[in-house]
């Protein structure tokens, strides 16, 4: 049975097993990658969604990706580190925070891991329902430059997002809404701020998600609304985490009870009291019935040698009753007790037994 540890997230937290967590995290990353790959959608639809987001931002004057992309494009000292950050931190910092939580905050690990898992699934749903063209893939007339392609000679990526050269076909470049780069960074920031013990750890919890927001927009991989959608996705995932954990606990307890019932020995009730007491269907011992001070043994309940022994003693008188006994003989009168001849009568009974 899983061990329990105290947790601020719930009154009863199940202690995870590391050998079960590793496959779970691997499945999480595989689902994320496969979901991005499968949720390609129609290119025309993705471009229409991207243009709609850009026009909305321009009307609201929140198209921050435009000036940031110009800055990253004209200054390699900013653009190149930003490209490295976009291509790697997403896959490095998140698992490192998971490992840190495992060793430092195991009581909260299960809650935070489940939060990350649910939010990622929600993000994959968003990729499927709303394929969105990122700014870098829009027509050049919109003024965006793909910094990953511009600085490709500095890193391992090519001109197809952050995928290594030659592997661009293994990624979905239209999975921009919501931005899980921002969502995962926000998750890391909350964990570091909430459970970090040093000022530097808490500062990193604030700076890391803010940096990723700037990076995804400056490299023209996401709109500002993509970043907001990534944060909203994490918020919805947070709300669903506690009910999901309660459901998982109930299912685990139900499965445990079913397993215990399946392994428990089955008690077979006796058909009759005589069987339970070793009667005709039991050990073969005779069944006795008491009544009127006498004990009667049923012959059909005796095994053969017992029946023979009973036949040999059939003529023996029962002590204290019958002609030789002193209880009903003429020697015992009312008010006289047992009479003077009672010892003799008892002696006659003993002699008869000897014969």
């Amino acid at each position: 049975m899983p061990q329990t540890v105290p947790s601020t997230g719930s009154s009863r937290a199940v202690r995870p097993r590391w050998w079960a967590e590793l496959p779970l995290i691997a499945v999480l990353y595989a689902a994320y990658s496969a979901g991005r790959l499968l949720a390609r959608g129609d290119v025309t639809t993705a471009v229409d969604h991207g243009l709609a987001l850009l026009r909305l931002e321009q009307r609201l004057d929140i198209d921050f990706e435009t000036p940031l992309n110009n800055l990253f494009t004209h200054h390699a000292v900013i653009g190149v580190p930003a490209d490295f950050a976009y291509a790697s931190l997403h896959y490095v910092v998140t698992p490192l925070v998971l490992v840190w939580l495992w060793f430092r905050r195991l009581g909260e690990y299960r809650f935070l891991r489940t939060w990350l898992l649910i939010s990622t699934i929600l993000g994959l749903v968003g990729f499927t329902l709303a394929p969105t063209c990122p700014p870098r893939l829009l027509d050049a007339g919109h003024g965006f430059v793909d910094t990953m392609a511009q600085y490709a000679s500095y890193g391992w990526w090519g001109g197809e997002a952050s995928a290594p050269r030659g592997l661009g076909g293994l990624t979905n470049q239209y999975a921009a809404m919501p931005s899980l780069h921002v969502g995962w960074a926000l998750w890391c920031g909350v964990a570091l701020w909430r459970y970090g013990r040093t000022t530097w750890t808490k500062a990193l919890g604030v700076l890391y998600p803010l940096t990723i927001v700037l990076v995804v927009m400056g490299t023209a991989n996401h709109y500002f609304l993509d970043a907001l959608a990534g944060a909203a996705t994490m918020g919805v995932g947070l709300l669903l985490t506690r009910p999901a954990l309660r459901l998982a606990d109930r299912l685990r307890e139900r499965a445990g009870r079913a397993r215990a019932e399946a392994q428990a020995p089955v008690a077979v009730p006796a058909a009759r009291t005589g069987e339970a007491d070793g009667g005709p269907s039991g050990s073969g011992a005779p069944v006795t019935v008491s009544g009127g001070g006498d004990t009667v043994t049923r012959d059909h309940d005796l095994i053969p040698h017992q029946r023979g022994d009973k036949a040999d003693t059939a003529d023996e008188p029962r002590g204290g009753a019958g002609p030789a006994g002193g209880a009903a003989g003429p020697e015992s009168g009312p008010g006289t007790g047992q009479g003077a001849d009672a010892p003799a009568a008892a002696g006659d009974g003993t002699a008869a037994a000897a014969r």
Side-chain angles (χ1 to χ4, degrees):
M1 294 292 294
Q3 302 175 4
T4 58
V5 294
S7 172
T8 58
S10 62
S11 59
R12 180 182 181 274
V14 178
R15 182 185 182 94
R17 308 293 188 182
W18 67 267
W19 41 263
E21 288 301 305
L22 290 180
L24 181 62
I25 300 303
V27 168
L28 173 65
Y29 274 86
Y32 170 73
S33 301
R36 288 175 58 91
L37 180 61
L38 295 176
R40 290 180 180 277
D42 180 68
V43 174
T44 302
T45 301
V47 172
D48 290 341
H49 288 164
L51 290 174
L53 290 177
L54 180 60
R55 295 190 186 103
L56 177 60
E57 289 183 353
Q58 289 173 344
R59 285 199 299 269
L60 298 175
D61 198 22
I62 57 173
D63 56 330
F64 305 120
E65 60 272 7
T66 299
L68 284 172
N69 183 242
N70 291 333
L71 178 65
F72 284 28
T73 300
H74 291 92
H75 300 279
V77 68
I78 301 175
V80 172
D83 287 342
F84 273 99
Y86 183 83
S88 61
L89 294 185
H90 187 54
Y91 300 100
V92 175
V93 176
T94 307
L96 286 179
V97 173
L98 279 170
V99 173
W100 174 73
L101 289 170
W102 176 271
F103 286 104
R104 295 296 183 90
R105 289 288 183 175
L106 187 57
E108 288 79 17
Y109 171 85
R110 183 171 177 253
F111 181 89
L112 290 168
R113 177 259 288 157
T114 305
W115 175 22
L116 180 65
L117 178 62
I118 293 176
S119 301
T120 301
I121 294 174
L122 294 176
L124 297 180
V125 173
F127 298 158
T128 304
L129 298 180
T132 304
C133 177
R136 62 184 179 81
L137 294 182
L138 292 176
D139 186 85
H142 295 284
F144 293 102
V145 176
D146 186 353
T147 61
M148 302 290 291
Q150 179 183 3
Y151 300 121
S153 59
Y154 290 90
W156 59 84
W157 56 85
E160 298 174 301
S162 58
R165 294 185 185 89
L167 299 179
L170 297 180
T171 186
N172 177 14
Q173 299 189 72
Y174 299 102
M177 170 66 77
S179 172
L180 285 185
H181 272 75
V182 173
W184 285 16
L186 179 61
W187 177 87
C188 293
V190 170
L192 293 173
W193 171 265
R194 175 68 179 81
Y195 302 112
R197 296 181 178 179
T198 66
T199 302
W200 288 107
T201 303
K202 293 182 179 296
L204 182 61
V206 175
L207 293 176
Y208 177 61
L210 292 178
T211 300
I212 294 300
V213 170
L214 297 177
V215 164
V216 300
M217 290 191 296
T219 57
N221 278 284
H222 288 282
Y223 305 94
F224 177 64
L225 289 178
D226 291 343
L228 290 182
T233 299
M234 300 306 296
V236 175
L238 179 62
L239 294 177
L240 295 177
T241 298
R242 201 173 300 279
L245 288 175
R246 286 197 295 264
L247 176 60
D249 289 339
R250 284 197 297 267
L251 293 176
R252 182 182 294 106
E253 291 173 0
R254 185 176 301 175
R257 287 196 300 267
R259 185 166 53 250
E261 292 174 358
Q263 296 175 353
V266 179
V268 180
R272 297 188 302 273
T273 305
E275 292 180 11
D277 294 335
S281 301
S283 62
V287 177
T288 60
V289 179
S290 299
D294 293 337
T295 301
V296 181
T297 302
R298 297 200 298 261
D299 288 345
H300 68 273
D301 294 323
L302 298 175
I303 60 179
H305 78 270
Q306 289 177 323
R307 294 174 185 171
D309 293 344
K310 185 177 180 182
D312 293 341
T313 61
D315 296 332
E316 296 180 6
R318 292 189 295 269
E331 298 83 356
S332 301
T336 59
Q338 199 161 3
D341 295 335
D348 292 343
T350 304
R355 289 196 300 271

